[in-house]
């Protein structure tokens, strides 16, 4: 028996998110189905990030245990032959039997993309959120700085969060413009439900001068749901990757 | 009566190209339908570039004549309200009554994108061509230089071209890599049918060391169809824009 870790990229447009549910096809069930067929064992992967409906990923992580004789690093290629073209395994490797993608310490990085122009560019529409009015990027940058560090982010979470603690640490948050595309890139040790989309929606309001940058500090300190946001659309959000700390690789 | 020019962007994935035909929905007919409904006149636009099925555009050009009282520059906004989200007018403006998007001299710029990596990235799959084996970009750059200037490009055209002359001028051609994405950017005074996709397919063969860079010169000098290519898939191709020279703008 060995434990295999997959790095998974997907275009979330046509999926009801990562986690198996009743009302539509999910990334998790699609991977389970094709892994089960490939390996001839009943496989149920454990995913790191249960991305929402419509959210994309370049590097989500999942693990499963298998008796297969296929070399770990070949599983990616074999599985990609079977998967639909909006899901692609980027890497497969053997990891320690105690590696768990959710319980091991990690840094997750997300990007939220905003197309800020009078006219949407159709070839960007699936992977960014269209904002017509010009955004003040300097104000957004300033507002973002209030979110840095270890904080109680309950103000930036949706109500059906079921977590023991709403304290998270944001290591880095950057707001950058390249042409009409604004990217909010945020790294942290974890994110509450809808946290990045609520941050994006709040920074957009700052960028529109609906309220000043300092108001983000007040929202955070209020520790109350409903002040932040609105939640920006899923299509702008991409899970870039997950780095695991102090990992005990199986050698 | 005034003549209006539209700058049009589209995601070609779901269209059977620009030009009206019987076996599927085209960009041209979609624009005609919504312009006709918007203006209350029967509109049939004249397009600059009849892009193939699956090819994208950031700046195709079309014109039409109208009696409308809607200010020319507002037509873009009004039309975008009606168009499906994979077509977006980027600009609308009045032009001289004798402006013709195909018969006026212009520089057209295309990009062909290649995702060169062991694994496709799903969020790039609709707008680039996946090449698994590593491409030698220096060889591709050298090969591209043979295509510069005024030449007979019949070797780089598909057989059902119906043109009086196969002589075209390429002003600029660049091959660049940024991470896993290779972009071939080419500007010229016109392109024969399938010319950019045949150039891309040929440069890919050079990049794979199927033949040396110098062979591109031999293909060109042979003035024979069938030596170049294969034609690379449509999804990698985007019409970036069209610049009109010495334009007599109506003031």
């Amino acid at each position: 028996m060995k434990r295999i870790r997959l790095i998974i990229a997907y275009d979330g447009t046509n999926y009801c998110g990562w986690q198996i549910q009743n009302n539509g096809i999910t990334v998790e069930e699609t991977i389970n189905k094709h892994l089960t067929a490939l390996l001839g064992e009943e496989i149920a992967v454990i995913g790191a990030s249960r991305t929402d409906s419509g959210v994309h990923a370049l590097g989500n992580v999942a693990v499963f245990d298998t008796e297969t004789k296929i070399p770990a690093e070949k599983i990616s290629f074999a599985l990609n032959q079977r998967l639909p073209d909006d899901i692609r395994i980027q890497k497969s490797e053997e990891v320690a039997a105690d590696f768990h993608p959710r319980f091991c310490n990690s840094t997750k990085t997300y990007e939220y993309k905003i197309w800020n122009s009078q006219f949407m560019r159709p070839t960007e529409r699936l992977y960014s959120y269209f904002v017509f009015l010009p955004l003040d990027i300097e104000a957004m940058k300033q507002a973002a700085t209030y979110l840095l560090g270890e904080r109680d982010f309950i103000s930036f979470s949706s109500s059906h969060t079921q977590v023991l603690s709403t304290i998270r640490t944001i290591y880095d948050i950057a707001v950058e413009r390249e042409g009409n595309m604004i990217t909010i890139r945020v790294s942290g040790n974890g994110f509450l439900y809808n946290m990045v989309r609520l941050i994006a929606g709040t920074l957009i309001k700052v960028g529109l001068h609906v309220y000043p940058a300092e108001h983000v500090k007040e929202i955070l300190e209020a520790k109350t749901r409903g002040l932040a946001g609105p939640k920006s659309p899923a299509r702008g959000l991409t899970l870039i990757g997950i780095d695991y700390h102090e990992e005990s690789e199986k050698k």
Side-chain angles (χ1 to χ4, degrees), chain A:
Chain A
M1 181 75 73
K2 54 191 176 184
R3 178 157 290 194
I4 305 293
R5 174 166 61 189
L6 303 175
I7 312 288
I8 308 161
Y10 44 88
D11 176 337
T13 307
N14 296 318
Y15 293 95
C16 290
W18 170 267
Q19 194 170 23
I20 289 171
Q21 52 174 262
N22 294 322
N23 62 343
I25 294 171
T26 67
V27 178
E28 184 182 24
E29 73 182 84
T30 305
I31 290 173
N32 285 346
K33 182 176 81 175
H34 292 289
L35 261 181
T36 296
L38 173 68
L39 303 177
E41 304 167 61
E42 193 67 39
I43 302 287
V45 300
I46 302 167
S49 184
R50 285 166 267 188
T51 55
D52 258 356
S53 182
V55 173
H56 316 290
L58 301 188
N60 204 345
V61 170
V63 300
F64 63 95
D65 295 326
T66 175
E67 304 280 3
T68 188
K69 292 201 167 60
I70 301 176
E73 63 280 7
K74 300 285 185 198
I75 292 173
S76 54
F77 296 96
L79 189 53
N80 283 337
Q81 298 285 335
R82 293 168 177 263
L83 286 167
D85 67 357
D86 51 5
I87 304 178
R88 277 293 172 271
I89 311 302
Q90 305 291 303
K91 192 177 186 182
S92 56
E93 59 187 334
E94 190 171 350
V95 288
D98 64 349
F99 173 81
H100 189 290
R102 283 204 296 279
F103 303 140
C104 293
N105 287 333
S106 67
T107 299
K108 287 183 182 174
T109 300
Y110 282 92
E111 281 186 359
Y112 196 91
K113 290 188 174 285
I114 301 155
W115 185 259
N116 187 35
S117 160
Q118 286 195 307
F119 304 104
M120 191 61 199
R121 178 178 286 182
T123 51
E124 304 285 358
R125 78 191 189 288
L126 301 173
Y127 313 111
S128 62
Y129 172 47
F130 174 49
V131 175
F132 174 85
L133 292 169
L135 291 168
D136 177 348
I137 189 152
E138 294 308 320
M140 293 170 75
K141 283 182 186 191
Q142 194 201 323
T145 63
Y146 301 115
L147 301 169
L148 275 171
E150 186 181 74
R151 294 174 190 284
D152 184 341
F153 283 101
I154 189 165
S155 297
F156 289 91
S157 69
S158 283
S159 53
H160 50 110
T161 307
Q162 288 169 339
V163 286
L164 296 173
S165 165
T166 50
I167 292 175
R168 295 290 183 277
T169 303
I170 291 187
Y171 302 123
D172 195 35
I173 179 165
V175 184
E176 272 162 23
R177 177 188 278 275
E178 199 181 319
N180 292 326
M181 191 69 90
I182 293 171
T183 302
I184 301 167
R185 189 181 173 97
V186 55
S187 296
N189 66 351
F191 293 89
L192 303 172
Y193 187 57
N194 284 332
M195 183 167 148
V196 182
R197 289 164 65 186
L198 286 162
I199 287 174
T202 306
L203 293 184
I204 289 168
K205 272 195 178 170
V206 170
L208 293 170
H209 296 157
V210 173
Y211 42 64
E214 294 75 19
H215 187 55
V216 170
K217 192 162 178 277
E218 292 161 22
I219 293 170
L220 202 61
E221 286 170 357
K223 294 181 189 170
T224 308
R225 290 189 175 111
L227 298 176
K231 180 175 79 174
S232 279
R235 80 181 78 93
L237 185 61
T238 301
L239 170 58
I240 301 297
I242 307 173
D243 276 336
Y244 290 92
H245 315 154
E246 305 163 34
E247 191 179 331
S248 58
E249 291 274 2
K250 183 174 175 182
K251 298 295 173 196

